[in-house]
Amino acid sequence: PTRSMLLESLQETAQEGRVQAFMNSSNSMWAHVLASVTAFLRVQEKGLVEGDHPWATLARAEFYMKRGDVSQALHEIETLKGRARSAMEGWVVHARERLIVEQAAQLVEAHVITSIASLL
């Protein structure tokens, strides 16, 4: 996925992560409804929010993705625990795939530059 696709996906998935952060151990429909309402009513923090609670972590991840820093956004998401982390698992897979592609492209670029330099 492109960086813009990852950002869009993160923003969508993070909302479910916020809901899951408010879930208790119950898997009842009412617990999910209550968590959804609570997540909706809570002011969504943005930027480099301090703290280790899930909504702060998700805010920092979105901050880094908006700046194109997939690696740092992934690092933030990987610190999540429990249900919030589980909700983000699909995004984590896509972010890792993107980082692998970027690293491969950097290796190819370095090889091409080295090959050209050796011809001169």
Side-chain angles (χ1 to χ4, degrees):
T2 65
R3 288 181 185 191
S4 62
M5 290 168 65
L6 274 176
L7 173 59
E8 184 178 325
S9 173
L10 175 62
Q11 291 170 329
E12 293 168 3
T13 309
Q15 183 57 32
E16 183 58 25
R18 289 181 188 91
V19 169
Q20 292 301 319
F22 285 109
M23 290 286 291
N24 58 26
S25 59
S26 170
N27 284 325
S28 73
M29 178 185 74
W30 293 113
H32 194 271
V33 168
L34 181 60
S36 296
V37 169
T38 304
F40 177 76
L41 293 176
R42 180 172 172 73
V43 174
Q44 186 176 338
E45 299 172 282
K46 296 192 182 291
L48 292 175
V49 179
E50 290 187 27
D52 60 355
H53 44 84
W55 44 93
T57 302
L58 292 166
R60 288 191 302 271
E62 288 184 49
F63 172 84
Y64 289 121
M65 268 312 305
K66 285 179 181 175
R67 281 148 187 78
D69 192 342
V70 179
S71 180
Q72 191 61 41
L74 178 60
H75 172 74
E76 290 291 342
I77 296 299
E78 288 178 329
T79 66
L80 290 170
K81 297 188 178 20
R83 291 176 182 246
R85 174 68 165 90
S86 296
M88 302 303 296
E89 191 57 40
W91 187 87
V92 167
V93 169
H94 292 300
R96 285 181 183 153
E97 289 171 350
R98 173 65 192 196
L99 288 175
I100 289 169
V101 168
E102 286 181 1
Q103 289 171 350
Q106 289 172 350
L107 286 173
V108 168
E109 180 182 11
H111 178 70
V112 168
I113 290 170
T114 303
S115 297
I116 291 171
S118 69
L119 295 174
L120 299 177

